[in-house]
Amino acid sequence: MIREILVYPDKRLRLKSKDVTAFDAQLHTLLDDMYETMIAKEGIGLAAIQIGIAKNILIINLVDEEGMQQKEDLIEVINPKITHKEGEEVYQEGCLSVPGYYDDVKRAEKIKVEYYNRFGEKIVQELDGLLAIAMQHEMDHLLGHLFIEKLSYLKRKKFEKEWKKKIKVDK
Ligand code: QAP
Ligand code: CO
């Protein structure tokens, strides 16, 4: 089922998500709905809070070398923790909850993460490249943060100005 995506400045996007405690059929349905919603909205990553569910769940599905978004590359991430970060990298990010706005964000270049898959199996990985960026972006959602909060003061002002204009046009 395709769910509705919360859009900035919806206050629910600022909630701190809680750990998943049951790796059951309800969790699997939620993960399936998140995937369907992300694909329908042409995203490469989605956190559960973006569909109003304050649980520590995110999915990432990057495109491959041929530009194809293959379901076998989908990663489902539950209760993630970053145990190590190194380096710095700037990437122009976007977000399904901030549609139409993209800006440069600085994040760690490499990370070590620990999380659980949908079956409750523990996964430990070292990530770099776009996957590391996507993981950090999605994990920020679990803490109630959006990428626009990481912009410089001037860029944030530019965003707020563009967003006000956009809300008027959309109405
Ligand atoms: C997070 O972002 C991300 O503005 C996922 O109109 C960001 O899927 C991962 C999207 C940067 C890695 C690098 C944004 C779709 C999708 C829009 C997304 C839009 C339609 C964003
Ligand atoms: Co996002």
Side-chain angles (χ1 to χ4, degrees):
M1 188 180 90
I2 296 174
R3 312 264 195 121
E4 196 180 318
I5 294 195
L6 306 184
V7 169
Y8 178 83
D10 194 307
K11 282 196 175 67
R12 289 170 289 178
L13 289 168
R14 292 162 58 180
L15 291 173
K16 202 175 169 303
S17 292
K18 299 284 191 324
D19 271 351
V20 169
T21 53
F23 294 80
D24 56 8
Q26 198 188 327
L27 172 68
H28 295 181
T29 301
L30 175 57
L31 283 163
D32 294 343
D33 286 357
M34 285 174 65
Y35 178 74
E36 209 185 319
T37 304
M38 181 184 72
I39 295 298
K41 307 294 176 187
E42 301 186 340
I44 56 168
L46 187 74
I49 193 59
Q50 292 181 275
I51 57 165
I53 311 284
K55 290 188 178 167
N56 286 327
I57 304 171
L58 63 92
I59 60 172
I60 298 171
N61 195 8
L62 302 182
V63 300
D64 66 17
E65 313 80 53
E66 278 142 34
M68 296 292 293
Q69 196 173 25
Q70 313 265 25
K71 191 164 185 187
E72 68 220 48
D73 296 327
L74 171 68
I75 61 169
E76 296 179 330
V77 175
I78 297 155
N79 302 346
K81 285 192 173 60
I82 292 179
T83 58
H84 182 80
K85 291 186 185 197
E86 65 181 77
E88 276 182 3
E89 189 164 31
V90 174
Y91 190 84
Q92 189 175 56
E93 300 192 7
C95 180
L96 285 169
S97 294
V98 193
Y101 191 81
Y102 305 84
D103 217 330
D104 286 350
V105 177
K106 185 165 51 172
R107 297 193 186 272
E109 182 191 7
K110 291 181 182 176
I111 57 171
K112 279 188 195 161
V113 280
E114 302 184 359
Y115 61 90
Y116 295 85
N117 67 13
R118 65 160 66 202
F119 306 109
E121 297 161 341
K122 191 172 183 179
I123 315 282
V124 179
Q125 285 179 332
E126 287 190 32
L127 306 178
D128 59 14
L130 192 51
L131 199 46
I133 290 164
M135 185 68 75
Q136 292 172 79
H137 174 111
E138 299 308 334
M139 284 182 72
D140 272 358
H141 278 297
L142 307 183
L143 296 169
H145 296 306
L146 298 173
F147 80 99
I148 50 170
E149 296 170 41
K150 299 181 86 77
L151 304 177
S152 67
Y153 179 73
L154 279 174
K155 280 189 166 177
R156 180 65 188 259
K157 292 233 292 194
K158 174 179 144 237
F159 163 75
E160 294 296 344
K161 195 175 162 195
E162 282 184 25
W163 201 255
K164 277 194 191 119
K165 203 194 276 176
K166 177 182 145 71
I167 288 171
K168 268 189 210 155
V169 172
D170 287 352
K171 264 183 188 164

